[in-house]
Amino acid sequence: LLDAATALGISRPRLQLDSIRPGSIIITFIILADPNSVSAPSPAALAVNLAAQAADPTSALRQGTVTSIITVTLPPGAEALAAAEAATAATVVTDGDVALWESSCVPKSYTAFDMEICYDCCTYVCEIGAQVPQVGGQDVLPGYRAQTCQGLCLVHCGYSRPIVLGV
């Protein structure tokens, strides 16, 4: 697994051993997502990369000590998944850009009903959309995305504005 991790440019703990079968030694392992980065290649993209390296005798994988003679079999759908992920790669919202959740979800008025509609739309688009929110110029990590989106959307939809009582 160390040769495979090195060839993919990832840390060894991202490869989890699933099984070893006898015969011509069949090793099955799982490529885990990087929990610390939203821009790291997906497990599907890494699997496709690994298969491509196995077919290339000059690749880093084939230069490894244990993996010099290797055959890689991808699970069904891995190539299609990697292609789909590449087509919808996450975009990062930087200062000056208008985020999709802000441009497509706007309260019609500052009534409780309209602000709730805006908030529901905003959090949905922010949490599952392709744009990655930033805080302090840094990408929000996947585990904090929902919490960050809720805070951003509360402000965007008017929940933080001052309340003016009629006289």
Side-chain angles (χ1 to χ4, degrees):
L1 293 181
L2 182 59
D3 284 352
T6 303
L8 291 172
I10 62 174
S11 62
R12 165 55 191 88
R14 287 193 54 201
L15 299 180
Q16 180 181 3
L17 182 64
D18 187 42
S19 66
I20 299 177
R21 293 190 303 233
S24 37
I25 307 178
I26 300 169
I27 299 173
T28 306
F29 60 90
I30 299 167
I31 302 173
L32 302 173
D34 187 344
N36 299 317
S37 174
V38 293
S39 59
S42 70
L46 291 171
V48 170
N49 180 342
L50 195 65
Q53 287 194 48
D56 178 6
T58 62
S59 70
L61 180 69
R62 296 286 296 274
Q63 301 306 310
T65 17
V66 178
T67 57
S68 59
I69 301 173
I70 188 170
T71 303
V72 173
T73 304
L74 294 174
E79 290 175 337
L81 180 60
E85 288 170 349
T88 60
T91 55
V92 175
V93 178
T94 58
D95 292 338
D97 290 345
V98 177
L100 184 60
W101 58 86
E102 291 181 349
S103 63
S104 61
C105 306
V106 179
K108 293 179 183 174
S109 68
Y110 289 110
T111 63
F113 179 76
D114 285 340
M115 288 168 50
E116 182 66 23
I117 299 284
C118 173
Y119 178 77
D120 290 344
C121 170
C122 182
T123 54
Y124 178 78
V125 173
C126 180
E127 289 175 18
I128 68 162
Q131 290 180 318
V132 178
Q134 288 190 336
V135 173
Q138 297 293 318
D139 295 352
V140 173
L141 296 175
Y144 298 98
R145 188 167 177 170
Q147 178 183 358
T148 301
C149 288
Q150 290 166 2
L152 291 170
C153 292
L154 281 171
V155 172
H156 170 69
C157 293
Y159 286 96
S160 67
R161 64 185 187 82
I163 297 175
V164 179
L165 299 175
V167 181

